[in-house]
Amino acid sequence: MKKLIVAGAVFFPLFFSGSAWSSCEENVCQGHAEVITPAIKANAREVMVRVQPEAGANLWCQLYEGEYALLDDKAKQFDLHRSLFITAIASQSDIRVEFDPQSSVCTVSSVELIVP
């Protein structure tokens, strides 16, 4: 009985903690920001978000350089998308990211910050 109580004390919090999760299918990823995209990167040409390999495995689009999704700098909401990613990563929030289904390279078309 004592072992059962100890096992429950260990596994119950892990099971119900809302621990980091993510799910990507087709052109949508949703879940904990750090699991989907733990970093944002900018160079002279692009602004990109890194997509974890496990998270991006089921995407229909190809990740840029094998690990990044591009933010479209010509999009009307470019600054908002970038800000939402930074906020989600910093606050360890959940996000929902949609990628342009018309693009073969993963390009962000929508970002939703899910606040608990």
Side-chain angles (χ1 to χ4, degrees):
M1 182 69 169
K2 185 176 181 180
K3 290 181 183 180
L4 182 61
I5 292 172
V6 171
V10 170
F11 291 112
F12 186 80
L14 293 174
F15 185 73
F16 289 102
S17 68
S19 61
W21 62 275
S22 72
S23 172
C24 294
E25 290 188 26
E26 299 175 4
N27 68 327
V28 176
C29 287
Q30 59 187 13
H32 198 68
E34 288 183 10
V35 176
I36 295 172
T37 176
I40 190 165
K41 176 182 177 178
N43 62 26
R45 298 179 314 271
E46 299 100 8
V47 176
M48 305 164 270
V49 290
R50 185 177 339 134
V51 177
Q52 296 284 33
E54 309 83 43
N58 294 325
L59 289 173
W60 282 359
C61 54
Q62 294 292 331
L63 293 171
Y64 179 73
E65 295 181 356
E67 64 180 333
Y68 295 102
L70 300 174
L71 292 175
D72 184 359
D73 63 348
K74 295 170 189 63
K76 184 177 179 181
Q77 299 298 332
F78 171 76
D79 289 332
L80 181 57
H81 287 172
R82 183 180 55 195
S83 296
L84 287 172
F85 273 111
I86 292 169
T87 301
I89 293 167
S91 66
Q92 300 179 357
S93 296
D94 290 344
I95 59 172
R96 176 181 167 86
V97 182
E98 294 181 21
F99 301 98
D100 182 355
Q102 305 301 317
S103 177
S104 61
V105 175
C106 295
T107 304
V108 175
S109 63
S110 171
V111 180
E112 178 182 357
L113 177 62
I114 303 166
V115 181

